[in-house]
mmCIF file with all atom_site columns, all heavy atoms in Angstrom:
data_model
loop_
_atom_site.group_PDB
_atom_site.id
_atom_site.type_symbol
_atom_site.label_atom_id
_atom_site.label_alt_id
_atom_site.label_comp_id
_atom_site.label_asym_id
_atom_site.label_entity_id
_atom_site.label_seq_id
_atom_site.pdbx_PDB_ins_code
_atom_site.Cartn_x
_atom_site.Cartn_y
_atom_site.Cartn_z
_atom_site.occupancy
_atom_site.B_iso_or_equiv
_atom_site.pdbx_formal_charge
_atom_site.auth_seq_id
_atom_site.auth_comp_id
_atom_site.auth_asym_id
_atom_site.auth_atom_id
_atom_site.pdbx_PDB_model_num
ATOM 1  N N   . ALA Z 1 616 ? 38.627 41.413 5.751  1.00 0.00 ? 748 ALA Z N   1
ATOM 2  C CA  . ALA Z 1 616 ? 38.544 41.077 7.181  1.00 0.00 ? 748 ALA Z CA  1
ATOM 3  C C   . ALA Z 1 616 ? 37.350 40.247 7.563  1.00 0.00 ? 748 ALA Z C   1
ATOM 4  O O   . ALA Z 1 616 ? 36.302 40.349 6.770  1.00 0.00 ? 748 ALA Z O   1
ATOM 5  C CB  . ALA Z 1 616 ? 38.712 42.386 7.913  1.00 0.00 ? 748 ALA Z CB  1
ATOM 6  N N   . HIS Z 1 617 ? 37.381 39.605 8.649  1.00 0.00 ? 749 HIS Z N   1
ATOM 7  C CA  . HIS Z 1 617 ? 36.186 38.918 9.175  1.00 0.00 ? 749 HIS Z CA  1
ATOM 8  C C   . HIS Z 1 617 ? 35.667 37.874 8.208  1.00 0.00 ? 749 HIS Z C   1
ATOM 9  O O   . HIS Z 1 617 ? 34.497 37.878 7.911  1.00 0.00 ? 749 HIS Z O   1
ATOM 10 C CB  . HIS Z 1 617 ? 35.125 39.890 9.535  1.00 0.00 ? 749 HIS Z CB  1
ATOM 11 C CG  . HIS Z 1 617 ? 35.505 40.831 10.773 1.00 0.00 ? 749 HIS Z CG  1
ATOM 12 N ND1 . HIS Z 1 617 ? 35.475 40.495 11.945 1.00 0.00 ? 749 HIS Z ND1 1
ATOM 13 C CD2 . HIS Z 1 617 ? 35.923 42.136 10.681 1.00 0.00 ? 749 HIS Z CD2 1
ATOM 14 C CE1 . HIS Z 1 617 ? 35.803 41.473 12.713 1.00 0.00 ? 749 HIS Z CE1 1
ATOM 15 N NE2 . HIS Z 1 617 ? 36.189 42.502 12.000 1.00 0.00 ? 749 HIS Z NE2 1
ATOM 16 N N   . ASN Z 1 618 ? 36.592 37.078 7.707  1.00 0.00 ? 750 ASN Z N   1
ATOM 17 C CA  . ASN Z 1 618 ? 36.213 35.934 6.806  1.00 0.00 ? 750 ASN Z CA  1
ATOM 18 C C   . ASN Z 1 618 ? 36.823 34.631 7.447  1.00 0.00 ? 750 ASN Z C   1
ATOM 19 O O   . ASN Z 1 618 ? 37.139 34.628 8.629  1.00 0.00 ? 750 ASN Z O   1
ATOM 20 C CB  . ASN Z 1 618 ? 36.736 36.134 5.422  1.00 0.00 ? 750 ASN Z CB  1
ATOM 21 C CG  . ASN Z 1 618 ? 35.759 37.057 4.654  1.00 0.00 ? 750 ASN Z CG  1
ATOM 22 O OD1 . ASN Z 1 618 ? 34.723 36.677 4.138  1.00 0.00 ? 750 ASN Z OD1 1
ATOM 23 N ND2 . ASN Z 1 618 ? 36.180 38.323 4.546  1.00 0.00 ? 750 ASN Z ND2 1
ATOM 24 N N   . LEU Z 1 638 ? 43.400 41.996 6.123  1.00 0.00 ? 770 LEU Z N   1
ATOM 25 C CA  . LEU Z 1 638 ? 43.140 40.581 6.293  1.00 0.00 ? 770 LEU Z CA  1
ATOM 26 C C   . LEU Z 1 638 ? 42.967 40.250 7.814  1.00 0.00 ? 770 LEU Z C   1
ATOM 27 O O   . LEU Z 1 638 ? 43.064 39.139 8.220  1.00 0.00 ? 770 LEU Z O   1
ATOM 28 C CB  . LEU Z 1 638 ? 44.309 39.706 5.780  1.00 0.00 ? 770 LEU Z CB  1
ATOM 29 C CG  . LEU Z 1 638 ? 44.542 39.831 4.209  1.00 0.00 ? 770 LEU Z CG  1
ATOM 30 C CD1 . LEU Z 1 638 ? 45.910 39.147 3.830  1.00 0.00 ? 770 LEU Z CD1 1
ATOM 31 C CD2 . LEU Z 1 638 ? 43.340 39.095 3.433  1.00 0.00 ? 770 LEU Z CD2 1
ATOM 32 N N   . ALA Z 1 639 ? 42.460 41.176 8.528  1.00 0.00 ? 771 ALA Z N   1
ATOM 33 C CA  . ALA Z 1 639 ? 42.286 41.001 9.912  1.00 0.00 ? 771 ALA Z CA  1
ATOM 34 C C   . ALA Z 1 639 ? 41.208 40.007 10.205 1.00 0.00 ? 771 ALA Z C   1
ATOM 35 O O   . ALA Z 1 639 ? 40.174 39.812 9.362  1.00 0.00 ? 771 ALA Z O   1
ATOM 36 C CB  . ALA Z 1 639 ? 41.841 42.354 10.650 1.00 0.00 ? 771 ALA Z CB  1
ATOM 37 N N   . HIS Z 1 640 ? 41.326 39.252 11.314 1.00 0.00 ? 772 HIS Z N   1
ATOM 38 C CA  . HIS Z 1 640 ? 40.254 38.320 11.846 1.00 0.00 ? 772 HIS Z CA  1
ATOM 39 C C   . HIS Z 1 640 ? 39.986 37.254 10.746 1.00 0.00 ? 772 HIS Z C   1
ATOM 40 O O   . HIS Z 1 640 ? 38.837 37.057 10.367 1.00 0.00 ? 772 HIS Z O   1
ATOM 41 C CB  . HIS Z 1 640 ? 39.067 39.084 12.245 1.00 0.00 ? 772 HIS Z CB  1
ATOM 42 C CG  . HIS Z 1 640 ? 39.236 40.125 13.251 1.00 0.00 ? 772 HIS Z CG  1
ATOM 43 N ND1 . HIS Z 1 640 ? 39.466 39.778 14.619 1.00 0.00 ? 772 HIS Z ND1 1
ATOM 44 C CD2 . HIS Z 1 640 ? 39.366 41.500 13.168 1.00 0.00 ? 772 HIS Z CD2 1
ATOM 45 C CE1 . HIS Z 1 640 ? 39.633 40.977 15.361 1.00 0.00 ? 772 HIS Z CE1 1
ATOM 46 N NE2 . HIS Z 1 640 ? 39.564 41.972 14.566 1.00 0.00 ? 772 HIS Z NE2 1
ATOM 47 N N   . ASN Z 1 641 ? 41.041 36.603 10.341 1.00 0.00 ? 773 ASN Z N   1
ATOM 48 C CA  . ASN Z 1 641 ? 40.986 35.422 9.556  1.00 0.00 ? 773 ASN Z CA  1
ATOM 49 C C   . ASN Z 1 641 ? 41.664 34.311 10.273 1.00 0.00 ? 773 ASN Z C   1
ATOM 50 O O   . ASN Z 1 641 ? 41.828 34.305 11.506 1.00 0.00 ? 773 ASN Z O   1
ATOM 51 C CB  . ASN Z 1 641 ? 41.454 35.654 8.117  1.00 0.00 ? 773 ASN Z CB  1
ATOM 52 C CG  . ASN Z 1 641 ? 40.560 36.433 7.262  1.00 0.00 ? 773 ASN Z CG  1
ATOM 53 O OD1 . ASN Z 1 641 ? 39.544 35.770 6.655  1.00 0.00 ? 773 ASN Z OD1 1
ATOM 54 N ND2 . ASN Z 1 641 ? 40.716 37.740 7.092  1.00 0.00 ? 773 ASN Z ND2 1
ATOM 55 N N   . GLN Z 1 642 ? 42.215 33.379 9.543  1.00 0.00 ? 774 GLN Z N   1
ATOM 56 C CA  . GLN Z 1 642 ? 42.883 32.216 10.118 1.00 0.00 ? 774 GLN Z CA  1
ATOM 57 C C   . GLN Z 1 642 ? 44.217 31.976 9.501  1.00 0.00 ? 774 GLN Z C   1
ATOM 58 O O   . GLN Z 1 642 ? 44.640 30.833 9.291  1.00 0.00 ? 774 GLN Z O   1
ATOM 59 C CB  . GLN Z 1 642 ? 42.023 30.912 10.013 1.00 0.00 ? 774 GLN Z CB  1
ATOM 60 C CG  . GLN Z 1 642 ? 40.705 31.087 10.668 1.00 0.00 ? 774 GLN Z CG  1
ATOM 61 C CD  . GLN Z 1 642 ? 39.785 29.837 10.551 1.00 0.00 ? 774 GLN Z CD  1
ATOM 62 O OE1 . GLN Z 1 642 ? 40.217 28.785 10.168 1.00 0.00 ? 774 GLN Z OE1 1
ATOM 63 N NE2 . GLN Z 1 642 ? 38.463 29.989 10.819 1.00 0.00 ? 774 GLN Z NE2 1
ATOM 64 N N   . ALA Z 1 662 ? 45.398 41.844 12.063 1.00 0.00 ? 794 ALA Z N   1
ATOM 65 C CA  . ALA Z 1 662 ? 45.045 41.500 13.481 1.00 0.00 ? 794 ALA Z CA  1
ATOM 66 C C   . ALA Z 1 662 ? 44.002 40.460 13.457 1.00 0.00 ? 794 ALA Z C   1
ATOM 67 O O   . ALA Z 1 662 ? 43.433 39.959 12.568 1.00 0.00 ? 794 ALA Z O   1
ATOM 68 C CB  . ALA Z 1 662 ? 44.381 42.701 14.028 1.00 0.00 ? 794 ALA Z CB  1
ATOM 69 N N   . GLY Z 1 663 ? 44.155 39.545 14.667 1.00 0.00 ? 795 GLY Z N   1
ATOM 70 C CA  . GLY Z 1 663 ? 43.245 38.560 14.898 1.00 0.00 ? 795 GLY Z CA  1
ATOM 71 C C   . GLY Z 1 663 ? 43.452 37.270 13.932 1.00 0.00 ? 795 GLY Z C   1
ATOM 72 O O   . GLY Z 1 663 ? 42.486 36.601 13.564 1.00 0.00 ? 795 GLY Z O   1
ATOM 73 N N   . ASN Z 1 664 ? 44.753 36.928 13.665 1.00 0.00 ? 796 ASN Z N   1
ATOM 74 C CA  . ASN Z 1 664 ? 45.112 35.763 12.920 1.00 0.00 ? 796 ASN Z CA  1
ATOM 75 C C   . ASN Z 1 664 ? 45.897 34.815 13.779 1.00 0.00 ? 796 ASN Z C   1
ATOM 76 O O   . ASN Z 1 664 ? 45.898 34.913 15.025 1.00 0.00 ? 796 ASN Z O   1
ATOM 77 C CB  . ASN Z 1 664 ? 45.839 36.129 11.646 1.00 0.00 ? 796 ASN Z CB  1
ATOM 78 C CG  . ASN Z 1 664 ? 44.867 36.730 10.521 1.00 0.00 ? 796 ASN Z CG  1
ATOM 79 O OD1 . ASN Z 1 664 ? 44.282 35.836 9.818  1.00 0.00 ? 796 ASN Z OD1 1
ATOM 80 N ND2 . ASN Z 1 664 ? 44.874 37.985 10.359 1.00 0.00 ? 796 ASN Z ND2 1
#
Side-chain angles (χ1 to χ4, degrees):
H749 296 280
N750 282 279
L770 291 168
H772 302 285
N773 281 281
Q774 301 176 16
N796 281 280

